[in-house]
Amino acid sequence: MIKIAPSILSADFSDLKSAIALCQSAGADYLHIDVMDGHFVPNLTIGPVVLKSIRPKTDLFLDVHLMVTNPEELVEPFVRAGADNITFHIEAIENPIKLIEHIKSFNKQVGISIKPGTSLDILDPYLELIDLILIMSVEPGFGGQQYIPESTARIQQLDKSLKILGIRKQILIEVDGGIKLSNAKIVKEAGADILVAGSAIFNAEDPHVAIEKFKNI
Ligand code: DX5
Ligand code: ZN
């Protein structure tokens, strides 16, 4: 079954407690936390202080997506605040191996995210070292954008490469950006294990029903 990771970026930040409770009761698998620093992307969102307040409100897996220029400096603050995994952008750093080891030293899962325009080949040296790949299907920075259609072929390509390497089962493919009920099935069939959805859940008439529908695609 597909895993659903609602992105709280599209939730009402004045009432995150209700948004989190809703995700949990509707059967979401992860809670996706979009961290933006105003440098790597032109938007500012959630810091460790906010994550620390979220942690005691849920036992959902806290899936932290760092869209920041200096992920190495933010790993420890986010781990201490309660992150279950740390996903960083491959475009943001020069020494991914060092960062992967740093995240693992806290016994947390490691993800690498890749922007729509970055060649997937850049991931090759790290595939056997990480738990998750986050394929961006929009330019990172904002919720509510349109899914980039070329993303489907990239998911298929990654799925195929992981199968050829014999490591498909040890790594999760997560897809983030523009995921709607109308394209979720295509993305799943292309090879996604986890779908991130922000506006399609929190702007839906009934977010609870939206999560249930995503689970059943
Ligand atoms: C974009 C973020 C996404 C975003 C998804 O930079 O990484 O997680 O919240 O929002 P939707 O589902 O509205 O595209
Ligand atoms: Zn995200």
Short mmCIF file of all heavy atoms in Angstrom, two decimals, residues 168-217:
data_model
loop_
_atom_site.label_atom_id
_atom_site.label_comp_id
_atom_site.label_asym_id
_atom_site.label_seq_id
_atom_site.Cartn_x
_atom_site.Cartn_y
_atom_site.Cartn_z
N ARG A 168 16.28 -2.25 -4.69
CA ARG A 168 14.98 -1.58 -4.71
C ARG A 168 14.23 -1.67 -3.37
O ARG A 168 13.55 -0.74 -2.98
CB ARG A 168 14.12 -2.16 -5.85
CG ARG A 168 12.77 -1.49 -6.02
CD ARG A 168 12.93 -0.03 -6.39
NE ARG A 168 11.69 0.72 -6.39
CZ ARG A 168 11.20 1.37 -5.33
NH1 ARG A 168 11.84 1.34 -4.17
NH2 ARG A 168 10.08 2.06 -5.42
N LYS A 169 14.38 -2.83 -2.71
CA LYS A 169 13.59 -3.03 -1.48
C LYS A 169 14.17 -2.30 -0.27
O LYS A 169 13.49 -2.12 0.73
CB LYS A 169 13.49 -4.53 -1.17
CG LYS A 169 12.56 -5.25 -2.13
CD LYS A 169 12.05 -6.56 -1.54
CE LYS A 169 10.91 -7.15 -2.34
NZ LYS A 169 11.34 -7.65 -3.65
N GLN A 170 15.41 -1.88 -0.35
CA GLN A 170 16.01 -1.23 0.82
C GLN A 170 15.90 0.29 0.78
O GLN A 170 16.36 0.98 1.69
CB GLN A 170 17.47 -1.66 1.00
CG GLN A 170 18.43 -1.08 -0.03
CD GLN A 170 19.80 -1.74 0.05
OE1 GLN A 170 19.90 -2.96 0.07
NE2 GLN A 170 20.85 -0.92 0.10
N ILE A 171 15.26 0.82 -0.25
CA ILE A 171 15.20 2.28 -0.39
C ILE A 171 13.78 2.70 -0.80
O ILE A 171 13.13 2.00 -1.58
CB ILE A 171 16.29 2.76 -1.38
CG1 ILE A 171 16.49 4.25 -1.34
CG2 ILE A 171 16.03 2.30 -2.76
CD1 ILE A 171 17.85 4.65 -1.89
N LEU A 172 13.33 3.80 -0.25
CA LEU A 172 11.99 4.29 -0.57
C LEU A 172 12.08 5.44 -1.57
O LEU A 172 12.96 6.30 -1.45
CB LEU A 172 11.29 4.78 0.70
CG LEU A 172 10.95 3.70 1.74
CD1 LEU A 172 10.63 4.35 3.10
CD2 LEU A 172 9.78 2.85 1.27
N ILE A 173 11.14 5.44 -2.51
CA ILE A 173 11.03 6.58 -3.43
C ILE A 173 9.84 7.43 -2.98
O ILE A 173 8.70 6.95 -2.93
CB ILE A 173 10.84 6.12 -4.89
CG1 ILE A 173 12.01 5.26 -5.36
CG2 ILE A 173 10.64 7.32 -5.81
CD1 ILE A 173 11.88 4.73 -6.80
N GLU A 174 10.14 8.67 -2.65
CA GLU A 174 9.10 9.61 -2.21
C GLU A 174 8.98 10.69 -3.29
O GLU A 174 9.99 11.12 -3.84
CB GLU A 174 9.52 10.23 -0.86
CG GLU A 174 8.51 11.19 -0.25
CD GLU A 174 8.94 11.67 1.16
OE1 GLU A 174 10.15 11.65 1.46
OE2 GLU A 174 8.05 12.05 1.94
N VAL A 175 7.75 11.10 -3.60
CA VAL A 175 7.55 12.11 -4.65
C VAL A 175 6.79 13.29 -4.04
O VAL A 175 5.81 13.10 -3.31
CB VAL A 175 6.81 11.51 -5.86
CG1 VAL A 175 6.63 12.55 -6.96
CG2 VAL A 175 7.57 10.30 -6.40
N ASP A 176 7.26 14.49 -4.37
CA ASP A 176 6.80 15.70 -3.67
C ASP A 176 6.57 16.85 -4.65
O ASP A 176 7.51 17.30 -5.32
CB ASP A 176 7.90 16.08 -2.65
CG ASP A 176 7.54 17.26 -1.77
OD1 ASP A 176 6.40 17.75 -1.84
OD2 ASP A 176 8.43 17.69 -1.01
N GLY A 177 5.32 17.32 -4.69
CA GLY A 177 5.01 18.51 -5.47
C GLY A 177 3.92 18.28 -6.49
O GLY A 177 4.08 17.46 -7.40
N GLY A 178 2.80 18.95 -6.29
CA GLY A 178 1.71 18.87 -7.27
C GLY A 178 0.99 17.54 -7.30
O GLY A 178 0.32 17.22 -8.29
N ILE A 179 1.11 16.76 -6.22
CA ILE A 179 0.41 15.47 -6.18
C ILE A 179 -1.06 15.71 -5.83
O ILE A 179 -1.38 16.33 -4.82
CB ILE A 179 1.06 14.49 -5.16
CG1 ILE A 179 2.55 14.28 -5.46
CG2 ILE A 179 0.29 13.18 -5.10
CD1 ILE A 179 2.85 13.57 -6.76
N LYS A 180 -1.92 15.21 -6.71
CA LYS A 180 -3.37 15.36 -6.54
C LYS A 180 -3.99 13.97 -6.63
O LYS A 180 -3.34 13.03 -7.11
CB LYS A 180 -3.98 16.22 -7.68
CG LYS A 180 -3.29 17.55 -7.91
CD LYS A 180 -3.68 18.57 -6.87
CE LYS A 180 -2.81 19.82 -6.98
NZ LYS A 180 -2.63 20.53 -5.74
N LEU A 181 -5.27 13.87 -6.28
CA LEU A 181 -5.94 12.57 -6.45
C LEU A 181 -5.96 12.18 -7.92
O LEU A 181 -5.94 11.00 -8.26
CB LEU A 181 -7.36 12.64 -5.88
CG LEU A 181 -7.39 12.54 -4.35
CD1 LEU A 181 -8.74 13.00 -3.79
CD2 LEU A 181 -7.07 11.12 -3.89
N SER A 182 -5.95 13.18 -8.81
CA SER A 182 -6.03 12.90 -10.25
C SER A 182 -4.74 12.32 -10.83
O SER A 182 -4.77 11.65 -11.86
CB SER A 182 -6.40 14.17 -11.00
OG SER A 182 -5.50 15.20 -10.67
N ASN A 183 -3.58 12.59 -10.22
CA ASN A 183 -2.33 12.02 -10.79
C ASN A 183 -1.65 11.01 -9.86
O ASN A 183 -0.63 10.43 -10.21
CB ASN A 183 -1.35 13.15 -11.18
CG ASN A 183 -0.94 14.01 -9.99
OD1 ASN A 183 -1.12 13.64 -8.84
ND2 ASN A 183 -0.38 15.18 -10.27
N ALA A 184 -2.22 10.80 -8.69
CA ALA A 184 -1.56 9.94 -7.69
C ALA A 184 -1.33 8.51 -8.20
O ALA A 184 -0.29 7.90 -7.93
CB ALA A 184 -2.39 9.92 -6.41
N LYS A 185 -2.30 7.99 -8.94
CA LYS A 185 -2.18 6.61 -9.40
C LYS A 185 -1.02 6.46 -10.40
O LYS A 185 -0.25 5.51 -10.34
CB LYS A 185 -3.51 6.18 -10.06
CG LYS A 185 -3.65 4.70 -10.26
CD LYS A 185 -5.11 4.29 -10.33
CE LYS A 185 -5.27 2.79 -10.22
NZ LYS A 185 -5.15 2.11 -11.49
N ILE A 186 -0.90 7.43 -11.28
CA ILE A 186 0.18 7.40 -12.28
C ILE A 186 1.53 7.43 -11.57
O ILE A 186 2.47 6.71 -11.92
CB ILE A 186 0.05 8.62 -13.24
CG1 ILE A 186 -1.21 8.46 -14.09
CG2 ILE A 186 1.28 8.81 -14.10
CD1 ILE A 186 -1.63 9.72 -14.82
N VAL A 187 1.63 8.29 -10.55
CA VAL A 187 2.89 8.45 -9.81
C VAL A 187 3.21 7.16 -9.04
O VAL A 187 4.35 6.70 -9.02
CB VAL A 187 2.80 9.68 -8.88
CG1 VAL A 187 4.04 9.81 -8.01
CG2 VAL A 187 2.59 10.95 -9.70
N LYS A 188 2.19 6.58 -8.46
CA LYS A 188 2.37 5.31 -7.74
C LYS A 188 2.85 4.22 -8.72
O LYS A 188 3.81 3.50 -8.45
CB LYS A 188 1.04 4.91 -7.09
CG LYS A 188 1.08 3.59 -6.34
CD LYS A 188 -0.33 3.21 -5.89
CE LYS A 188 -0.35 1.81 -5.31
NZ LYS A 188 -1.72 1.37 -5.01
N GLU A 189 2.18 4.14 -9.86
CA GLU A 189 2.53 3.09 -10.82
C GLU A 189 3.91 3.29 -11.43
O GLU A 189 4.57 2.35 -11.84
CB GLU A 189 1.45 2.99 -11.90
CG GLU A 189 0.22 2.29 -11.35
CD GLU A 189 -1.00 2.32 -12.27
OE1 GLU A 189 -0.92 2.91 -13.37
OE2 GLU A 189 -2.04 1.77 -11.86
N ALA A 190 4.36 4.54 -11.43
CA ALA A 190 5.72 4.81 -11.94
C ALA A 190 6.78 4.30 -10.97
O ALA A 190 7.94 4.13 -11.33
CB ALA A 190 5.89 6.31 -12.18
N GLY A 191 6.39 4.10 -9.70
CA GLY A 191 7.35 3.54 -8.74
C GLY A 191 7.40 4.22 -7.38
O GLY A 191 8.22 3.84 -6.54
N ALA A 192 6.53 5.21 -7.15
CA ALA A 192 6.58 5.90 -5.86
C ALA A 192 6.10 5.00 -4.72
O ALA A 192 5.12 4.27 -4.87
CB ALA A 192 5.72 7.16 -5.91
N ASP A 193 6.81 5.08 -3.59
CA ASP A 193 6.39 4.37 -2.38
C ASP A 193 5.66 5.31 -1.42
O ASP A 193 4.86 4.88 -0.62
CB ASP A 193 7.61 3.81 -1.63
CG ASP A 193 8.45 2.89 -2.50
OD1 ASP A 193 7.92 1.86 -2.93
OD2 ASP A 193 9.63 3.22 -2.77
N ILE A 194 6.02 6.59 -1.49
CA ILE A 194 5.44 7.60 -0.59
C ILE A 194 5.02 8.80 -1.43
O ILE A 194 5.82 9.29 -2.23
CB ILE A 194 6.46 8.10 0.46
CG1 ILE A 194 7.16 6.94 1.17
CG2 ILE A 194 5.80 9.03 1.47
CD1 ILE A 194 8.37 7.38 2.00
N LEU A 195 3.81 9.26 -1.21
CA LEU A 195 3.35 10.48 -1.88
C LEU A 195 3.24 11.59 -0.84
O LEU A 195 2.58 11.42 0.19
CB LEU A 195 1.97 10.27 -2.51
CG LEU A 195 1.84 9.17 -3.56
CD1 LEU A 195 0.39 9.09 -4.05
CD2 LEU A 195 2.79 9.43 -4.73
N VAL A 196 3.87 12.73 -1.14
CA VAL A 196 3.68 13.92 -0.32
C VAL A 196 2.53 14.71 -0.95
O VAL A 196 2.49 14.87 -2.17
CB VAL A 196 4.96 14.81 -0.33
CG1 VAL A 196 4.73 16.09 0.46
CG2 VAL A 196 6.15 14.03 0.24
N ALA A 197 1.62 15.18 -0.13
CA ALA A 197 0.55 16.05 -0.66
C ALA A 197 0.23 17.12 0.36
O ALA A 197 0.01 16.82 1.53
CB ALA A 197 -0.68 15.23 -1.00
N GLY A 198 0.26 18.36 -0.10
CA GLY A 198 -0.03 19.49 0.77
C GLY A 198 -1.39 20.09 0.43
O GLY A 198 -2.39 19.82 1.11
N SER A 199 -1.44 20.87 -0.66
CA SER A 199 -2.68 21.57 -0.99
C SER A 199 -3.82 20.60 -1.31
O SER A 199 -4.97 20.88 -0.99
CB SER A 199 -2.45 22.54 -2.15
OG SER A 199 -1.82 21.89 -3.22
N ALA A 200 -3.49 19.45 -1.89
CA ALA A 200 -4.57 18.50 -2.24
C ALA A 200 -5.25 17.95 -1.00
O ALA A 200 -6.40 17.51 -1.06
CB ALA A 200 -4.01 17.35 -3.08
N ILE A 201 -4.56 18.00 0.13
CA ILE A 201 -5.19 17.54 1.38
C ILE A 201 -5.80 18.73 2.13
O ILE A 201 -6.99 18.74 2.42
CB ILE A 201 -4.16 16.79 2.26
CG1 ILE A 201 -3.83 15.44 1.60
CG2 ILE A 201 -4.70 16.60 3.69
CD1 ILE A 201 -2.73 14.65 2.27
N PHE A 202 -4.96 19.73 2.41
CA PHE A 202 -5.44 20.77 3.33
C PHE A 202 -6.38 21.78 2.66
O PHE A 202 -7.12 22.47 3.36
CB PHE A 202 -4.26 21.45 4.02
CG PHE A 202 -3.59 20.51 4.99
CD1 PHE A 202 -2.37 19.91 4.67
CD2 PHE A 202 -4.20 20.19 6.19
CE1 PHE A 202 -1.77 19.02 5.55
CE2 PHE A 202 -3.61 19.30 7.08
CZ PHE A 202 -2.38 18.71 6.77
N ASN A 203 -6.37 21.87 1.34
CA ASN A 203 -7.34 22.74 0.67
C ASN A 203 -8.58 21.97 0.22
O ASN A 203 -9.47 22.54 -0.40
CB ASN A 203 -6.71 23.43 -0.56
CG ASN A 203 -5.60 24.39 -0.15
OD1 ASN A 203 -5.39 24.65 1.02
ND2 ASN A 203 -4.85 24.89 -1.14
N ALA A 204 -8.59 20.67 0.51
CA ALA A 204 -9.76 19.87 0.12
C ALA A 204 -10.95 20.24 1.00
O ALA A 204 -10.77 20.72 2.12
CB ALA A 204 -9.45 18.38 0.27
N GLU A 205 -12.13 19.98 0.49
CA GLU A 205 -13.35 20.28 1.26
C GLU A 205 -13.31 19.52 2.59
O GLU A 205 -13.61 20.06 3.63
CB GLU A 205 -14.55 19.84 0.42
CG GLU A 205 -15.80 20.60 0.75
CD GLU A 205 -16.90 20.26 -0.23
OE1 GLU A 205 -16.70 20.41 -1.46
OE2 GLU A 205 -17.94 19.80 0.25
N ASP A 206 -12.90 18.25 2.50
CA ASP A 206 -12.77 17.43 3.70
C ASP A 206 -11.39 16.75 3.69
O ASP A 206 -11.21 15.72 3.04
CB ASP A 206 -13.89 16.39 3.75
CG ASP A 206 -13.88 15.60 5.06
OD1 ASP A 206 -12.81 15.55 5.72
OD2 ASP A 206 -14.93 15.06 5.42
N PRO A 207 -10.40 17.33 4.39
CA PRO A 207 -9.04 16.77 4.35
C PRO A 207 -8.97 15.32 4.81
O PRO A 207 -8.16 14.55 4.30
CB PRO A 207 -8.28 17.69 5.32
CG PRO A 207 -9.02 18.98 5.29
CD PRO A 207 -10.47 18.60 5.14
N HIS A 208 -9.83 14.96 5.74
CA HIS A 208 -9.85 13.58 6.25
C HIS A 208 -10.18 12.61 5.11
O HIS A 208 -9.49 11.61 4.89
CB HIS A 208 -10.90 13.51 7.37
CG HIS A 208 -10.72 12.35 8.30
ND1 HIS A 208 -11.12 11.07 8.00
CD2 HIS A 208 -10.18 12.29 9.55
CE1 HIS A 208 -10.84 10.28 9.02
NE2 HIS A 208 -10.27 10.98 9.98
N VAL A 209 -11.21 12.96 4.37
CA VAL A 209 -11.64 12.12 3.23
C VAL A 209 -10.53 12.10 2.17
O VAL A 209 -10.25 11.06 1.57
CB VAL A 209 -12.97 12.65 2.64
CG1 VAL A 209 -13.32 11.95 1.34
CG2 VAL A 209 -14.10 12.50 3.66
N ALA A 210 -9.89 13.25 1.97
CA ALA A 210 -8.82 13.30 0.95
C ALA A 210 -7.70 12.32 1.30
O ALA A 210 -7.22 11.59 0.43
CB ALA A 210 -8.28 14.73 0.85
N ILE A 211 -7.30 12.28 2.55
CA ILE A 211 -6.24 11.34 2.96
C ILE A 211 -6.70 9.90 2.73
O ILE A 211 -5.95 9.08 2.19
CB ILE A 211 -5.83 11.57 4.44
CG1 ILE A 211 -5.15 12.93 4.58
CG2 ILE A 211 -4.89 10.46 4.93
CD1 ILE A 211 -4.85 13.36 6.02
N GLU A 212 -7.93 9.61 3.11
CA GLU A 212 -8.45 8.24 2.90
C GLU A 212 -8.45 7.87 1.42
O GLU A 212 -8.09 6.76 1.05
CB GLU A 212 -9.87 8.13 3.47
CG GLU A 212 -9.90 8.08 4.98
CD GLU A 212 -11.32 8.21 5.56
OE1 GLU A 212 -12.28 8.40 4.78
OE2 GLU A 212 -11.43 8.16 6.77
N LYS A 213 -8.83 8.83 0.59
CA LYS A 213 -8.85 8.54 -0.86
C LYS A 213 -7.43 8.30 -1.38
O LYS A 213 -7.20 7.42 -2.21
CB LYS A 213 -9.51 9.70 -1.62
CG LYS A 213 -11.02 9.71 -1.48
CD LYS A 213 -11.63 10.76 -2.39
CE LYS A 213 -13.15 10.76 -2.30
NZ LYS A 213 -13.74 11.98 -2.85
N PHE A 214 -6.47 9.10 -0.91
CA PHE A 214 -5.07 8.88 -1.33
C PHE A 214 -4.61 7.48 -0.93
O PHE A 214 -3.93 6.80 -1.69
CB PHE A 214 -4.14 9.93 -0.70
CG PHE A 214 -3.98 11.19 -1.51
CD1 PHE A 214 -4.43 12.40 -1.04
CD2 PHE A 214 -3.34 11.15 -2.76
CE1 PHE A 214 -4.27 13.57 -1.78
CE2 PHE A 214 -3.18 12.31 -3.51
CZ PHE A 214 -3.64 13.52 -3.02
N LYS A 215 -4.98 7.08 0.26
CA LYS A 215 -4.55 5.75 0.74
C LYS A 215 -5.10 4.63 -0.15
O LYS A 215 -4.50 3.57 -0.27
CB LYS A 215 -5.04 5.51 2.18
CG LYS A 215 -4.32 6.28 3.26
CD LYS A 215 -2.87 5.88 3.46
CE LYS A 215 -2.64 4.46 3.95
NZ LYS A 215 -1.20 4.17 4.05
N ASN A 216 -6.26 4.90 -0.74
CA ASN A 216 -6.94 3.84 -1.50
C ASN A 216 -6.77 3.93 -3.01
O ASN A 216 -7.49 3.27 -3.75
CB ASN A 216 -8.44 3.85 -1.16
CG ASN A 216 -8.66 3.32 0.25
OD1 ASN A 216 -8.11 2.30 0.63
ND2 ASN A 216 -9.43 4.05 1.04
N ILE A 217 -5.85 4.74 -3.47
CA ILE A 217 -5.70 4.86 -4.93
C ILE A 217 -5.19 3.54 -5.51
O ILE A 217 -4.51 2.80 -4.87
CB ILE A 217 -4.75 6.01 -5.34
CG1 ILE A 217 -3.42 5.89 -4.60
CG2 ILE A 217 -5.41 7.36 -5.16
CD1 ILE A 217 -2.30 6.54 -5.33
#
